[in-house]
Structure formats: structure tokens, C-alpha cells
Amino acid sequence: MRRPVLLVIAHGSRDPRHAATVHALVRRVRSLRPELRVETGFLDFNVPSVPGVLDSLAAEGVRDVVALPLLLTRAFHAKADIPAVLADADARLRVRQADVLGPSPLLQAALERRLYEAGLTPADKSSTGVVLASAGSTDPEAIAVIAEIAREWRHTGWCAVRPAFASASLPRTEDAVRELRALGCERVAVAPYVLAPGFLPDRIARGAALADVLADVLGPAPEVARVLVQRYDAARTPAPAEAIGAVGA
């Protein structure tokens, strides 16, 4: 039985670092599953577009696609934008939308990887406060997820963990850094909970000016690639009602 094509859906950005990071992550996914065909489509700014990739796949004779949103929380893009694009796909395609990447213990592991790459060690955890800095959202569900990740991460040994947001929500990164200083944490680190560089990650970096450590974005961390594979596998055999644009619909 032929495996569904994995279509990774990224937001897109005018910043060329965004697309470069997305492609690097997709290459890592391909290295994990060389037998799997993996394509990339962008919602905006970059090419190929998601509709363009879907049209090309249909023209080739592909009939089964798993569309995986390259998103960390279920906010507007996952709930509205992407389903709307997929609903317009060629009727010959059976397109199933996979779940977003977060939350996942693997993403927490990727966050810690980036912090250690930035200079921290496991021995620093008890004296280090961490700002979990995300892009932000107007969606209460997405904000609640970030807050819960921060609470859970705190229990793994960090001095304290505080969520922060680059847009739409509060507190900002710089305010969370100040709060951790006031709590008496020996050092403060900022861990961007974002996948690729761009405008909002740059804002997070500016807000981290008073921190001791700024980790890199998650990017093509091996743990992130493993989450993509997990989401793909979970979406391959959904209940029939979960399929979008099933053949014959």
C-alpha cells in the first residue's frame, strides 16, 4: 500500500531565514524516513504555495496526502486558514490534516537542547530561571497551552519558568526576564518557543537583552523532526470523518 505524501505546511515569511530553516527541518525529516515522500508548501510570502503543491500532486496521480501544519499550538491558522486551503484541494485528493506539533515532550527536549547549546548545563537548572518565549496569539486555547508547558517544565528542575509572548498577549519577554531577576534566580535564560527566525523571533531576541542566555529557535532540531514523523504516523489512519476532501466527496 502506497504511503500518503507528507505535505509540511509552513506559514512563510519575507525573512529568507524562515524558508531556509523550514527546508532544513524537512531535510531532517527525510533523513529519518527516506522511504517517505515529503513536500513543503507555504501559506504566504514563499513558494511553492500550498494550493500549488496540492495541484501538482493531483496532476501527478497522487491520491493520498497528510497535511501537517508546522505550528506549535492550535490557533487561527490551524483552526481556520489551513482547513480552508485544504478544503479547496482537487477532489481527486484525499487530504488529512495532522495535528499541530505541540505540546510534546520532544519539544521540551528540543528547548533544553537549545539552552545547553547556548552555554547552560544540566547542573545550572536549579539556579536558572527560564523565559518560555512564544510568538503569541489572540486564541485563549493557544495561550493556555503555553502557560501549561511553562508550569510542567518548571517541575523538571529549573529555578522558575515563566511564559512570555512577542505579540497579542502579555507579558513580553523583557518583563518576564525582570520578574525572574526579582525572584532571585542566579541567571536568566530565554528559550524561544518558535520554529524559525523572523520578525517575532527577532522581537523575542531584543526582549532578551537583559538575560544571561538566549537560546536559538527550535529550527531543525532532531527532536522537532521526530515530532513531525509522529504526527504524520498518527494522521495516516484517522476515523473516516476526520478526512478532508476524501475521494468522491
Side-chain angles (χ1 to χ4, degrees):
M1 182 176 177
R2 183 176 297 180
R3 295 178 179 86
V5 171
L6 170 57
L7 171 57
V8 176
I9 300 179
H11 183 273
S13 171
R14 293 186 178 89
D15 189 323
R17 296 174 298 168
H18 175 89
T21 302
V22 170
H23 291 310
L25 176 57
V26 169
R27 286 194 296 272
R28 190 176 286 275
V29 172
R30 291 187 180 117
S31 72
L32 290 177
R33 297 289 286 271
E35 80 287 355
L36 177 61
R37 179 174 177 181
V38 186
E39 300 290 342
T40 308
F42 295 89
L43 292 173
D44 206 353
F45 302 115
N46 302 104
V47 292
S49 68
V50 175
V53 175
L54 291 171
D55 288 347
S56 295
L57 291 174
E60 286 181 35
V62 171
R63 294 295 174 260
D64 206 359
V65 176
V66 169
L68 197 161
L70 204 58
L71 300 168
L72 294 171
T73 58
R74 274 183 49 79
F76 181 78
H77 292 304
K79 295 177 179 179
D81 281 358
I82 292 175
V85 171
L86 299 182
D88 287 337
D90 191 298
R92 295 170 292 178
L93 288 173
R94 181 178 187 236
V95 184
R96 287 167 283 181
Q97 181 175 331
D99 200 1
V100 297
L101 303 185
S104 167
L106 285 170
L107 294 178
Q108 180 178 303
L111 287 165
E112 297 206 353
R113 170 190 290 274
R114 294 303 190 220
L115 286 169
Y116 297 150
E117 289 171 349
L120 294 178
T121 71
D124 296 323
K125 292 182 75 168
S126 63
S127 58
T128 301
V130 179
V131 178
L132 179 68
S134 75
S137 174
T138 57
D139 189 308
E141 178 186 349
I143 298 304
V145 166
I146 299 300
E148 180 60 24
I149 293 170
R151 283 192 293 269
E152 291 181 358
W153 202 15
R154 163 66 181 84
H155 295 310
T156 66
W158 296 100
C159 174
V161 180
R162 293 291 186 271
F165 308 94
S167 68
S169 307
L170 295 174
R172 295 285 183 258
T173 302
E174 54 268 34
D175 297 325
V177 169
R178 293 188 188 98
E179 180 184 353
L180 291 172
R181 291 278 189 220
L183 283 175
C185 296
E186 184 176 317
R187 68 184 63 78
V188 176
V190 174
Y193 192 58
V194 293
L195 288 166
F199 177 76
L200 293 179
D202 284 349
R203 181 179 288 176
I204 290 171
R206 290 192 297 272
L210 297 179
D212 301 293
V213 175
L214 171 62
D216 199 359
V217 298
L218 296 174
E223 296 87 356
V224 179
R226 287 168 58 196
V227 176
L228 266 70
V229 170
Q230 287 182 351
R231 297 294 184 256
Y232 169 81
D233 288 338
R236 284 182 62 183
T237 54
E242 296 176 9
I244 300 175
V247 175

